[in-house]
Amino acid sequence: MNYIKLNDGNRIPAVGFGVLFIPEGKETYEATLTALRAGYRHIDTAAGYFNEASVGKAVRDSGIPREEIFVTSKIWIQDHGYEQAKVGIARSLRKLDLGYIDLYLIHQPYGDILGTWRAMEEAKAAGQLRSIGVSNMTPKFYREFIPQFKTKPAVNQMEFNPFFQQKELRKLMEADDVKLEAWYPLGHGDAKLLQQPEIVRLAEKYGKNTGQIILRFEYQEGVVTLPKSTNEGRIKGNIDLFNFALTEAEMNTLRALDTGKGAFDPEAPGIEQMLRENYVITD
Ligand code: A2P
């Protein structure tokens, strides 16, 4: 596994395994263990995925030393605000039960972001969180909040793939040395992307599948990716990216595929309310 250096001196495995929508209990436990056995060393969960406890148990049971596994979680909107964020952080620490969390993110950019961030800075100083960052901060949210933070976030986790390359946002983030983490790095299985002729041509040239070409492009762009797969072969293949390299001309060909449009708009009216109403942590 290759690593990417963060602006706080820590390093993050370049590819991670995301557990969004995998049910708490046996399913998340087994999926996490399968990923760890396949060679993943980076698991991405969230309080709002409702499966932190099973991720923590799988990591503890894996037999792999704790310090070799990078675990990300995220605070949910209902825990925003300085005092409440302390409650949210404590809950994630308790459920994961791994001593510390490698990376903790503000999952959604709504409510009292500044108070939430202060609580996270304090938990980082106390060693409970090793790195801290944000998620779903579009250029508008990024410009609103990041200049007011005392500590720059280590990452911003966003939707990103060759059809949605976040060019404006990445310029802002590069100025602060904030790394991009990609959710939907394969366009959520978009057949147009996975069968795009240039990508198919490169897959044939390098003897890889098209998903691996996309993930390699993203890695060479300095992006941490969280590809999703339920297929064992593809789960393994999606971290087998480090024995070939795309040329600069090929990178430019893929850079030109950007449409500037994605599947999810954090600024869309009603999104905050929909998330607050539909995803509520009760324990
Ligand atoms: P599958 O589970 O059958 O592998 P994203 O990570 O952007 O959300 O995309 C996930 C989708 O991409 C899933 O439908 C998954 O299907 C598919 N997928 C995952 N890895 C690959 C790959 N290497 N090549 C092609 N499709 C892939």
Side-chain angles (χ1 to χ4, degrees):
M1 176 54 68
N2 287 25
Y3 288 78
I4 289 179
K5 187 100 188 272
L6 300 175
N7 62 11
D8 59 9
N10 294 330
R11 55 177 211 158
I12 184 169
V15 184
F17 184 80
V19 294
L20 171 69
F21 298 138
I22 307 182
E24 170 74 333
K26 196 167 174 281
E27 278 143 300
T28 294
Y29 178 78
E30 283 179 359
T32 305
L33 270 182
T34 302
L36 291 171
R37 287 193 191 117
Y40 288 72
R41 289 296 177 266
H42 171 181
I43 309 291
D44 184 277
T45 183
Y49 297 174
F50 303 95
N51 54 16
E52 287 169 304
S54 303
V55 167
K57 184 167 163 44
V59 169
R60 288 194 306 279
D61 291 354
S62 68
I64 300 163
R66 168 69 183 93
E67 63 275 12
E68 287 178 22
I69 304 179
F70 190 102
V71 178
T72 299
S73 194
K74 315 183 188 86
I75 196 160
W76 190 235
I77 318 170
Q78 72 190 66
D79 289 326
H80 285 186
Y82 177 68
E83 290 302 332
Q84 188 58 34
K86 293 186 206 175
V87 176
I89 294 165
R91 194 192 307 106
S92 284
L93 284 163
R94 171 174 58 78
K95 286 191 177 175
L96 281 162
D97 194 15
L98 294 169
Y100 59 88
I101 301 171
D102 295 275
L103 174 63
Y104 204 62
L105 308 181
I106 297 184
H107 198 156
Q108 297 290 349
Y110 314 118
D112 180 4
I113 295 299
L114 298 182
T116 308
W117 189 249
R118 265 197 302 129
M120 286 169 53
E121 287 175 322
E122 286 180 16
K124 180 178 191 301
Q128 296 172 315
L129 311 175
R130 292 281 164 94
S131 293
I132 53 177
V134 297
S135 180
N136 295 308
M137 287 222 178
T138 60
K140 173 176 167 282
F141 286 118
Y142 193 95
R143 285 195 179 93
E144 182 179 347
F145 294 119
I146 306 307
Q148 301 187 65
F149 285 6
K150 203 164 82 194
T151 319
K152 292 276 181 267
V155 306
N156 183 13
Q157 187 179 122
M158 291 292 295
E159 183 179 356
F160 173 86
N161 62 63
F163 284 169
F164 189 29
Q165 295 188 31
Q166 301 282 7
K167 287 184 177 159
E168 180 189 357
L169 179 64
R170 283 162 70 205
K171 271 203 197 106
L172 294 171
M173 289 168 53
E174 266 160 33
D176 293 331
D177 190 23
V178 176
K179 292 289 183 277
L180 179 66
E181 281 191 282
W183 58 262
Y184 282 6
L186 301 169
H188 204 40
D190 178 359
K192 270 209 201 103
L193 178 63
L194 288 161
Q195 289 162 23
Q196 201 284 333
E198 292 296 342
I199 297 176
V200 171
R201 191 179 61 77
L202 291 170
E204 283 162 6
K205 172 177 169 186
Y206 289 104
K208 294 284 175 184
N209 64 47
T210 54
Q212 289 171 307
I213 297 297
I214 293 167
L215 295 169
R216 177 70 203 188
F217 163 72
E218 296 172 346
Y219 170 68
Q220 287 185 220
E221 287 288 72
V223 177
V224 176
T225 54
L226 304 165
K228 187 116 192 192
S229 180
T230 48
N231 172 284
E232 204 183 324
R234 284 190 287 274
I235 289 175
K236 286 202 177 114
N238 288 345
I239 50 170
D240 180 20
L241 311 173
F242 306 111
N243 50 6
F244 76 107
L246 301 173
T247 66
E248 192 54 20
E250 290 163 350
M251 290 295 290
N252 282 332
T253 301
L254 299 189
R255 285 179 187 128
L257 298 179
D258 187 26
T259 67
K261 284 198 192 67
F264 175 73
D265 177 8
E267 295 172 20
I271 288 281
E272 174 183 358
Q273 200 182 346
M274 184 279 286
L275 292 172
R276 280 186 191 275
E277 284 171 6
N278 287 289
Y279 300 90
V280 179
I281 299 161
T282 53
D283 60 332

